[in-house]
Amino acid sequence: MINLTKSEEDYLKALFQLLTEGGKSKIGNNQLAEYLNVSPASTNNMVKKLKAKDYIVSERYGKLELTDQGIEIAVRLIRKHRLWETFLYNYLNFSWDEVHEVAEQLEHIKSRKLVDELDRFMEYPKVDPHGEMIPDADGAYNITPKVTLSSLKEGDICKLAAVNDASVSFLRYVSQIGLALSSTIEIVEIRDFDKSICIRFDDTVETVTKKFADNVFVKIIS
Amino acid sequence: MINLTKSEEDYLKALFQLLTEGGKSKIGNNQLAEYLNVSPASTNNMVKKLKAKDYIVSERYGKLELTDQGIEIAVRLIRKHRLWETFLYNYLNFSWDEVHEVAEQLEHIKSRKLVDELDRFMEYPKVDPHGEMIPDADGAYNITPKVTLSSLKEGDICKLAAVNDASVSFLRYVSQIGLALSSTIEIVEIRDFDKSICIRFDDTVETVTKKFADNVFVKIIS
DNA sequence: TTAATTTGTTAGTCTAGGCTAACTTATTTA
DNA sequence: TAAATAAGTTAGCCTAGACTAACAAATTAA
Ligand SMILES: [Mn+2]
Ligand SMILES: [Mn+2]
Ligand SMILES: [Mn+2]
Ligand SMILES: [Mn+2]
């Protein structure tokens, strides 16, 4: 349909992220609820509405899936979100950890022209400040299945490709220890006891937790 | 208080515009309702809420007034609205008549940094694309009492200072006949029969209706 | 100065989108 | 396979912000 509410858009985007970036095979009602920080009842209710409007398909008690229409909405939202993050970061002196919250609002502004002109103004950026790809005006996007730093083995060498942008304190921490997009990282040691990982990059050696490494996405070099 | 809803903000802005730019001495519940295209009942309800939150003062059946707090919210909203209009017009290829609708959404984005950085990025513009002043970061604003083209007398000469930006078709019409900000306009004749006004500007002579002239704001030269 | 009209208020209803509590169906685990 | 647990659903309630219909107060006109 023509006009979705902010909430409807957020549910579709969340489901899309879980389905594509989450790497899970089945996404259920409660997972979506947890991701969005709402109750399962709210999610159930919204899913019902979005099924009626033909954005989601699912069977009773079954897994949730997006229709083509649903995917289109989600991808357009992600495009807007990432273009705004890029704008805030490159032109308005926002830092890494400040852009997401504001983009979360800006992504719901309804104007096709606005987002396409913003894209042109910035000369069609390919990635946002956190390393995530930006879908183009036609809705084309390439999902590079996410490889987390935590999934590597001792001795592996990789490049930092992107980071989860949803936590401000995490992003601050990343900057603070000196990690940056395209840093080359070597897995020095994985400690069996608590799964913490000792990494080396730019002559720095740091030990990070499994939780930290779960939020760092990399491209394996060797 | 800290966080107002979009609706609360819109009511405060509307009341501010009516009180300052409208030139009316008393603004009542129903006028506010009409301006916002909602029912008097809705307005009554919202005014009650805004009184409780100390943004509006009024007596039962009395006129509506803004508290200092209320004025501050309204002015900040107007600042955001006009800065966004300026950005859309100057950087994103939006035309005169396209900016208002999108700015109406953008003005509700909550981020002090966003608006102040946008201001800096554009090098502190003083007026928006329709000729209206832009309040500064401290909330300072100067209301130049609006003089409408329709209030002049035959023979008067004026400069086009600003236009009402709320009607797309009006703005298109203005551009179409060739009027632009700072055009020098002479009142050639006022026709008593229907109050239509014959004006001359840039070697053009046009007759416009009273309704048209009500939406054109000028600075009298002589 | 009374009647008509305009303006403001109240009550009750609706939709969107949250919530909790209780219940049902599926999936695990013993 | 039966019980325990997890996942999904439903019912009922809440708030924000709209609406209409009915009514009350204030203003204007006769
Ligand atoms: Mn983000
Ligand atoms: Mn959002
Ligand atoms: Mn405007
Ligand atoms: Mn608005």
Side-chain angles (χ1 to χ4, degrees):
Chain A
M1 282 299 155
I2 315 281
N3 249 345
L4 300 197
T5 64
K6 177 183 178 331
S7 287
E8 288 171 328
E9 288 185 339
D10 280 336
Y11 276 91
L12 292 174
K13 188 178 74 155
L15 182 52
F16 182 87
Q17 316 249 46
L18 286 170
L19 288 170
T20 59
E21 295 164 14
K24 294 271 180 58
S25 62
K26 184 211 158 176
I27 298 297
N29 184 78
N30 292 11
Q31 271 170 284
L32 183 54
E34 204 202 333
Y35 187 81
L36 284 165
N37 287 307
V38 296
S39 68
S42 298
T43 305
N44 194 271
N45 188 52
M46 181 59 93
V47 165
K48 211 176 282 175
K49 208 179 314 176
L50 292 171
K51 283 172 73 171
K53 291 189 180 182
D54 204 36
Y55 291 107
I56 288 181
V57 277
S58 79
E59 286 165 14
R60 239 172 102 90
Y61 295 99
K63 64 183 174 189
L64 304 172
E65 289 179 294
L66 287 165
T67 62
D68 286 353
Q69 244 198 118
I71 291 170
E72 199 195 315
I73 299 289
V75 171
R76 282 230 294 267
L77 213 61
I78 289 169
R79 167 172 161 79
K80 283 197 272 185
H81 182 102
R82 294 181 179 167
L83 281 171
W84 278 116
E85 286 192 345
T86 307
F87 178 71
L88 298 178
Y89 187 80
N90 290 341
Y91 297 87
L92 300 192
N93 298 324
F94 275 63
S95 61
W96 224 22
D97 51 294
E98 290 173 324
V99 297
H100 182 76
E101 185 202 332
V102 181
E104 215 36 69
Q105 300 176 60
L106 285 162
E107 71 189 3
H108 300 288
I109 301 291
K110 282 171 179 50
S111 165
R112 188 61 176 271
K113 179 164 186 169
L114 177 59
V115 55
D116 290 348
E117 283 291 334
L118 194 67
D119 198 12
R120 178 201 53 74
F121 177 75
M122 299 190 290
E123 294 170 352
Y124 310 102
K126 290 274 173 292
V127 294
D128 79 10
H130 311 104
E132 307 280 10
M133 65 80 205
I134 299 174
D136 73 18
D138 302 322
Y141 60 98
N142 22 27
I143 304 288
T144 22
K146 294 205 166 167
V147 179
T148 64
L149 182 62
S150 54
S151 68
L152 301 203
K153 290 174 297 292
E154 283 182 8
D156 283 354
I157 294 178
C158 61
K159 274 204 162 185
L160 203 172
V163 291
N164 181 337
D165 70 348
S167 161
V168 170
S169 59
F170 166 71
L171 288 171
R172 290 226 187 99
Y173 182 18
V174 173
S175 315
Q176 197 199 311
I177 65 177
L179 265 178
L181 290 183
S182 325
S183 292
T184 298
I185 304 171
E186 182 193 342
I187 312 294
V188 179
E189 193 188 343
I190 300 176
R191 304 215 173 73
D192 222 44
F193 168 60
D194 57 3
K195 305 284 186 243
S196 66
I197 302 168
C198 181
I199 57 176
R200 185 188 350 256
F201 57 95
D202 304 333
D203 304 314
T204 307
V205 175
E206 280 278 348
T207 296
V208 298
T209 62
K210 164 96 164 46
K211 185 174 178 189
F212 180 97
D214 282 340
N215 287 284
V216 174
F217 309 116
V218 299
K219 208 169 121 187
I220 299 175
I221 297 178
S222 74
Chain B
M1 282 298 152
I2 316 283
N3 249 345
L4 300 198
T5 64
K6 178 183 178 327
S7 288
E8 289 171 328
E9 288 185 337
D10 280 335
Y11 276 89
L12 291 174
K13 187 178 74 153
L15 182 52
F16 181 87
Q17 316 249 45
L18 286 170
L19 287 171
T20 59
E21 296 165 13
K24 294 271 180 62
S25 62
K26 183 209 159 175
I27 298 299
N29 185 79
N30 292 11
Q31 271 170 284
L32 184 54
E34 205 202 332
Y35 187 81
L36 284 164
N37 287 307
V38 297
S39 69
S42 299
T43 305
N44 195 272
N45 187 50
M46 181 59 92
V47 164
K48 210 175 282 175
K49 208 179 315 176
L50 292 171
K51 283 173 73 172
K53 291 189 180 182
D54 204 36
Y55 291 107
I56 289 181
V57 275
S58 79
E59 286 163 15
R60 240 173 102 89
Y61 296 99
K63 64 183 175 189
L64 304 172
E65 289 179 292
L66 286 165
T67 63
D68 286 353
Q69 242 198 123
I71 291 170
E72 199 195 315
I73 299 290
V75 171
R76 283 230 294 266
L77 213 62
I78 289 169
R79 168 173 161 79
K80 283 197 273 184
H81 182 102
R82 293 182 181 167
L83 281 171
W84 278 116
E85 286 192 345
T86 306
F87 178 70
L88 298 178
Y89 187 80
N90 290 341
Y91 297 87
L92 301 191
N93 297 325
F94 276 63
S95 60
W96 225 23
D97 51 292
E98 290 173 324
V99 298
H100 182 78
E101 185 203 330
V102 181
E104 214 38 66
Q105 300 175 60
L106 285 162
E107 72 189 2
H108 299 288
I109 302 292
K110 280 169 181 50
S111 164
R112 188 62 176 270
K113 179 165 187 167
L114 176 59
V115 55
D116 290 346
E117 283 291 334
L118 194 66
D119 198 12
R120 179 201 54 73
F121 176 75
M122 298 191 289
E123 295 170 352
Y124 310 102
K126 291 273 174 288
V127 294
D128 80 9
H130 312 103
E132 308 280 10
M133 64 82 207
I134 299 175
D136 72 19
D138 303 321
Y141 61 97
N142 22 27
I143 304 288
T144 21
K146 294 204 165 167
V147 179
T148 65
L149 182 62
S150 55
S151 68
L152 303 202
K153 290 173 297 293
E154 283 182 8
D156 283 354
I157 294 179
C158 61
K159 274 203 161 186
L160 203 172
V163 291
N164 181 336
D165 70 347
S167 162
V168 170
S169 60
F170 166 72
L171 288 171
R172 291 226 186 98
Y173 182 18
V174 173
S175 315
Q176 196 198 310
I177 65 177
L179 264 178
L181 290 183
S182 330
S183 291
T184 299
I185 305 171
E186 182 194 342
I187 311 293
V188 178
E189 193 188 343
I190 301 175
R191 302 216 175 73
D192 222 45
F193 169 60
D194 57 5
K195 306 283 186 242
S196 67
I197 302 168
C198 182
I199 58 177
R200 185 190 349 256
F201 57 96
D202 304 332
D203 304 314
T204 308
V205 175
E206 279 279 347
T207 295
V208 299
T209 62
K210 165 94 163 49
K211 185 175 178 188
F212 180 97
D214 282 341
N215 287 284
V216 174
F217 310 115
V218 300
K219 206 169 121 187
I220 300 176
I221 296 178
S222 72

